[in-house]
């Protein structure tokens, strides 16, 4: 992407965005914002609310997991964020003030290690009180080794949470999570963690109801009647792989603020279908695929935001073939990222200089990515061939054997098809191999990752909070979301140093770690996405954030039209 456009995008973002919190994690593609540029307050001017407050959206796919303590994907995060509340909820201006969520108030000890949260009087959707015991139960469930939550490591800032999660201790009394009474939750940390309050809005920290989890067991969160809700909305109906609708939660503590009565959500991955549904009024908002950008970019319905996300080639480090660094480097050199960004995406996205995207805090008044610089080589067909031949020789195989046994896995949408086909062609042209493409649902892809049953994929990660650690701790040995299965004790030590350090010391440790990651090559960063969408002018108040759960519907409403 050309420099002048990127600068304009960053400046626009800085003017309208405070980096927010909540979880986003593994990205499921397509809706690849700042706050809603069509947003406004229904009480201002001559605006008149529509009689029927229904918003029509596209979830894009079926949510793989609606259990807050075990989920990892973007679609599930959108829905969970709409139907649950945590201790805090990110506000439209990016802040997390007291009273924004279920915590009415809190105090922090002078040493920064003990947080005492006082819960407000709020109820679950079944009318029962939300208690500190719900939080205690949910957080212990998230770090229970038997539950095996992939996001358990987000609790490692809490005293002895890591030791409990890894089985080194079994006594819950030794862990810094304690419900002192029904309305008081005390949390003791391992070390001062400046972003801990923000982290409590992350999806895994949002509690599922203890009684519901115990009653429904393995069926919990598998259907609307197998969940109990605490957020602005409830799941009204769920037709798997087709539609999931939300309805306003009348028992929500802040129900008076919520204007929408219902959110109707389709699961459409095909680009042409999405655009047709938007044009005919069957959708009120949708992402704009690059092939339709010229159609909408000059209309008042068009919006563009930056996204603290990175998409990258992900190599299975335990795969027979991609365990070889020369094979991995060959695929990196053979991938023309600039051509892909300019000709396939063509939406303002930016070639990635590393894993961490721009906009995350760094040192010396710069963002982390600027401190780091560009760590990865540009496209070079000759070097790609050289590394590939070296790798094949080291493995003792031919191109034909490699091509026969290696496949390229990804998602199902039009975006996925175009991306995978473009990369497939680049590798064919520059390496002389045509990898088989396997497209599958997000849930199936996660299953393949869990089984280590893949060689190469395209993967995406969105920041969960405004700190480079939200990307850097991904590749810790045995990390829950380390789907490249990368392991380097030196990398682990640098991340541990950053976790326990402060100021420039921790930034320097993460910078050194990212340089090591680039040297070891478990991934090859492709691009940082720009997020472009169209939204009917009568839709207001959808909030979009660059980090965390990137789409918030609590304040959305529909004007008369």
């Amino acid at each position: 992407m050309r420099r002048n456009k990127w600068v304009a995008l960053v400046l626009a973002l800085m003017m309208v965005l405070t980096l927010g919190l909540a979880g986003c994690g593994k990205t499921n593609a397509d809706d690849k914002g700042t706050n809603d540029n069509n947003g406004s307050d229904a009480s201002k001017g001559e605006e008149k609310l529509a009689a029927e407050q229904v918003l029509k959206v596209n979830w894009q796919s079926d949510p793989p997991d609606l259990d807050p303590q075990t989920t990892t994907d973007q679609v599930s995060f959108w829905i969970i964020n709409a139907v649950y509340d945590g201790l805090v909820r990110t506000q439209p201006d990016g802040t997390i003030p007291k009273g924004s969520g279920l915590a009415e108030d809190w105090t922090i000890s002078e040493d920064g290690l003990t947080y005492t949260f006082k819960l407000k009087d709020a109820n679950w959707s079944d009318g029962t009180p939300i208690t500190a015991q719900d939080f205690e139960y949910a957080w212990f469930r998230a770090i229970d080794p038997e539950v095996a939550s992939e996001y358990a490591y987000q609790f490692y800032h809490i005293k002895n949470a890591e030791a409990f999660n890894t089985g080194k201790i079994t006594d819950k009394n030794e862990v810094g999570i304690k419900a002192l009474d029904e309305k008081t939750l005390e949390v003791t940390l391992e070390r001062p963690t400046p972003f801990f309050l923000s982290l409590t809005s992350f999806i895994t920290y949002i509690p599922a109801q203890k009684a519901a989890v115990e009653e429904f067991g393995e069926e919990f969160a598998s259907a609307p009647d197998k969940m109990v809700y605490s957020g602005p909305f409830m799941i009204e109906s769920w037709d798997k792989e087709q539609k999931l609708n939300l309805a306003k939660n009348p028992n929500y503590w802040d129900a008076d603020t919520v204007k929408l009565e219902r959110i109707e959500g389709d699961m459409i991955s095909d680009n042409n279908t999405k655009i047709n549904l938007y044009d005919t009024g069957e959708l009120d908002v949708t992402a704009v695929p690059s092939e339709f950008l010229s159609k909408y970019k000059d209309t008042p319905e068009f919006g563009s935001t930056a996204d603290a996300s990175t998409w990258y080639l992900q190599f299975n480090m335990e795969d027979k073939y991609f365990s070889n660094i020369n094979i991995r480097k060959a695929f990196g050199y053979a991938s023309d990222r600039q051509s892909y960004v300019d000709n396939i995406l063509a939406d303002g996205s930016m070639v990635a200089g590393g894993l961490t995207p721009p906009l995350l805090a760094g040192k010396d008044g710069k963002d982390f990515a600027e401190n780091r610089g560009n760590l990865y080589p540009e496209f070079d067909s000759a070097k790609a061939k050289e590394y590939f031949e070296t790798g094949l020789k080291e493995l003792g195989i031919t191109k034909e054997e490699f091509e026969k046994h290696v496949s390229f896995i990804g998602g199902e949408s039009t975006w996925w098809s175009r991306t995978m086909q473009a990369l497939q062609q680049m590798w064919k042209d520059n390496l002389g191999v045509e990898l088989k493409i396997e497209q599958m649902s997000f849930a199936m892809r996660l299953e393949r990752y869990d089984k280590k049953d893949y060689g190469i994929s395209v993967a995406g990660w969105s920041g969960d909070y405004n700190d480079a650690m939200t990307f850097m701790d991904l590749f810790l040995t045995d990390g829950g979301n380390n789907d490249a299965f990368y392991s380097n004790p030196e990398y682990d030590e640098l991340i541990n140093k950053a976790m326990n350090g402060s100021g420039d010391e921790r930034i320097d440790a993460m910078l050194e770690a990212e340089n090591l990651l680039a040297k070891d090559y478990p991934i090859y960063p492709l691009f940082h996405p720009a997020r472009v969408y169209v939204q009917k002018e009568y839709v207001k108040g959808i909030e979009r954030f660059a980090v965390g759960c990137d789409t918030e519907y609590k304040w959305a409403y529909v004007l008369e039209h």
Side-chain angles (χ1 to χ4, degrees):
M1 176 179 168
R2 291 194 296 274
R3 181 177 174 82
N4 63 326
K5 286 187 178 179
W6 172 244
V7 171
L9 183 61
V10 171
L11 290 175
L13 179 71
M14 291 173 68
M15 287 189 288
V16 299
L17 174 67
T18 299
L19 290 177
L21 248 286
C24 228
K26 293 178 185 173
T27 306
N28 186 26
D30 250 19
D31 187 26
K32 320 177 264 305
T34 59
N35 292 353
D36 173 16
N37 67 352
N38 289 330
S40 63
D41 189 329
S43 65
K44 295 178 180 178
E46 299 300 318
E47 291 184 337
K48 185 176 180 180
L49 292 177
E52 188 177 36
Q53 286 296 304
V54 177
L55 179 68
K56 293 171 285 188
V57 305
N58 179 26
W59 304 125
Q60 301 180 49
S61 69
D62 204 49
D65 182 6
L66 291 180
D67 182 337
Q69 274 59 72
T70 59
T71 191
T72 63
D73 71 283
Q74 185 184 58
V75 176
S76 298
F77 279 22
W78 289 334
I79 296 166
I80 289 172
N81 188 64
V83 300
Y84 284 101
D85 230 4
L87 289 171
V88 298
R89 180 177 285 269
T90 307
Q91 300 299 287
D93 63 0
T95 62
I96 47 167
K98 293 180 178 180
S100 60
L102 294 173
E104 188 68 48
D105 195 10
W106 57 77
T107 58
I108 306 172
S109 62
E110 287 188 11
D111 60 7
L113 294 178
T114 303
Y115 287 66
T116 305
F117 296 94
K118 291 291 185 180
L119 302 188
K120 61 183 54 169
D121 291 327
N123 291 331
W124 294 99
S125 56
D126 64 2
T128 60
I130 299 172
T131 68
Q133 284 78 13
D134 287 309
F135 280 90
E136 182 186 69
Y137 176 81
W139 291 11
F140 269 111
R141 186 166 165 263
I143 60 173
D144 185 335
E146 293 188 8
V147 173
S149 170
E150 292 185 23
Y151 266 128
Y153 66 88
Q154 293 286 23
F155 290 82
Y156 287 2
H157 304 285
I158 297 174
K159 182 181 177 181
N160 283 331
E162 181 176 8
F164 188 86
N165 182 240
T166 55
K168 293 179 181 177
I169 65 172
T170 57
D171 185 356
K172 291 183 177 181
N173 291 319
E174 296 181 43
V175 180
I177 304 170
K178 291 180 171 59
L180 302 183
D181 56 46
E182 285 200 349
K183 295 298 179 182
T184 309
L185 179 70
E186 182 184 81
V187 184
T188 305
L189 304 184
E190 287 278 7
R191 65 195 75 85
T193 306
F195 54 82
F196 180 71
L197 275 176
S198 293
L199 196 56
T200 65
S201 70
F202 182 64
I203 294 297
T204 318
Y205 275 83
I206 296 175
Q209 188 195 52
K210 179 177 183 289
V213 175
E214 292 178 337
E215 178 183 355
F216 299 121
E218 292 185 2
E219 292 187 342
F220 173 71
S222 62
D225 61 352
K226 298 292 191 297
M227 302 171 70
V228 181
Y229 310 97
S230 61
F233 302 96
M234 308 179 296
I235 299 177
E236 181 181 59
S237 61
W238 183 3
D239 184 7
K240 299 293 177 71
E241 305 291 344
Q242 299 294 324
K243 201 171 186 70
L244 186 149
N245 294 338
L246 307 180
K248 181 176 179 177
N249 178 5
N251 284 326
Y252 180 49
W253 67 269
D254 198 21
D256 289 346
T257 298
V258 181
K259 298 180 177 69
L260 289 179
E261 293 296 333
R262 197 164 70 255
I263 299 176
E264 297 178 352
D266 287 319
M267 301 175 189
I268 308 297
S269 60
D270 179 74
N271 284 351
N272 288 313
T273 304
K274 284 187 288 189
I275 293 301
N276 286 336
L277 289 174
Y278 180 80
D279 286 344
T280 58
E282 295 301 310
L283 286 176
D284 292 323
V285 59
T286 188
V288 179
S290 58
E291 63 267 34
F292 293 99
L293 198 60
S294 60
K295 177 178 179 178
Y296 296 108
K297 65 180 182 179
D298 296 322
T299 71
E301 297 180 356
F302 180 77
S304 177
T305 75
D307 206 2
S309 302
T310 305
W311 287 83
Y312 45 86
L313 293 180
Q314 178 172 268
F315 307 108
N316 180 357
M317 298 282 282
E318 296 190 8
D319 177 73
K320 175 181 178 181
Y321 306 104
F322 285 100
S323 59
N324 183 287
I325 191 169
N326 289 308
I327 296 293
R328 300 196 300 273
K329 285 186 174 181
F331 276 80
Y333 274 108
S335 303
D336 191 342
R337 301 177 297 174
Q338 194 65 58
S339 175
Y340 170 77
V341 165
D342 290 344
N343 301 309
I344 303 298
L345 293 180
D347 61 358
S349 295
M350 173 188 182
V351 169
L355 171 64
T356 50
L359 306 174
L360 299 176
K363 64 176 187 176
D364 302 328
K366 301 176 181 178
D367 66 36
F368 185 87
E370 191 175 359
N371 294 145
R372 179 207 63 218
N374 189 356
L375 300 181
Y376 288 83
E378 298 304 320
F379 167 69
D380 189 320
S381 183
K383 285 188 176 180
K385 290 182 174 68
E386 180 183 334
Y387 278 110
F388 196 47
E389 292 298 334
T390 300
L392 292 175
K393 190 174 297 184
E394 290 171 347
L395 291 169
I397 61 171
T398 64
K399 284 185 181 180
E400 290 72 24
E401 288 177 83
F402 182 89
E403 187 176 83
K404 179 180 178 182
H405 293 289
V406 175
S407 62
F408 178 28
I409 72 169
E412 295 178 301
S413 71
T414 309
W415 179 87
W416 277 105
S417 296
R418 297 180 73 216
T419 294
M420 296 179 77
Q421 288 165 13
L423 289 166
Q424 180 194 50
Q425 187 63 47
M426 290 176 192
W427 301 335
K428 181 179 179 181
D429 292 343
N430 298 297
L431 299 177
V433 291
E434 185 172 3
L435 298 192
K436 176 187 175 184
I437 288 176
E438 291 187 77
Q439 292 187 254
M440 62 195 70
S441 70
F442 192 50
M444 288 181 63
R445 202 156 75 254
L446 294 179
E447 185 176 337
R448 289 282 290 270
Y449 288 161
D450 289 343
K451 293 179 178 178
K452 303 182 181 180
D453 181 19
Y454 83 100
I456 183 172
S457 71
V458 174
W461 190 262
S462 297
D464 296 320
Y465 48 91
N466 181 20
D467 190 275
M469 187 60 75
T470 189
F471 283 84
M472 297 309 299
D473 63 9
L474 274 178
F475 293 102
L476 285 167
T477 298
D478 297 326
N481 290 298
N482 182 358
D483 296 323
F485 311 109
Y486 172 66
S487 178
N488 185 327
E490 185 180 353
Y491 183 89
D492 295 346
E493 180 58 35
L494 287 166
I495 297 304
N496 185 60
K497 181 179 179 181
M499 284 182 172
N500 289 283
S502 61
D504 288 355
E505 177 191 20
R506 66 183 300 273
I507 297 295
D508 288 338
M510 287 190 287
L511 289 169
E512 189 176 346
E514 186 159 6
N515 274 271
L516 185 59
L517 191 73
K519 177 184 174 183
D520 291 344
Y521 233 84
I523 62 168
Y524 181 70
L526 295 172
F527 68 99
H528 304 304
R531 210 170 157 206
V532 290
Y533 61 93
V534 282
Q535 180 174 304
K536 300 296 186 183
E537 290 186 89
Y538 53 77
V539 173
K540 306 294 180 181
I542 297 177
E543 302 298 338
R544 297 177 172 87
F545 303 101
V547 296
C549 189
D550 57 17
T551 306
E552 170 67 78
Y553 297 107
K554 174 177 175 175
W555 296 280
Y557 58 96
V558 178
L559 297 178
E560 193 175 67
H561 57 280

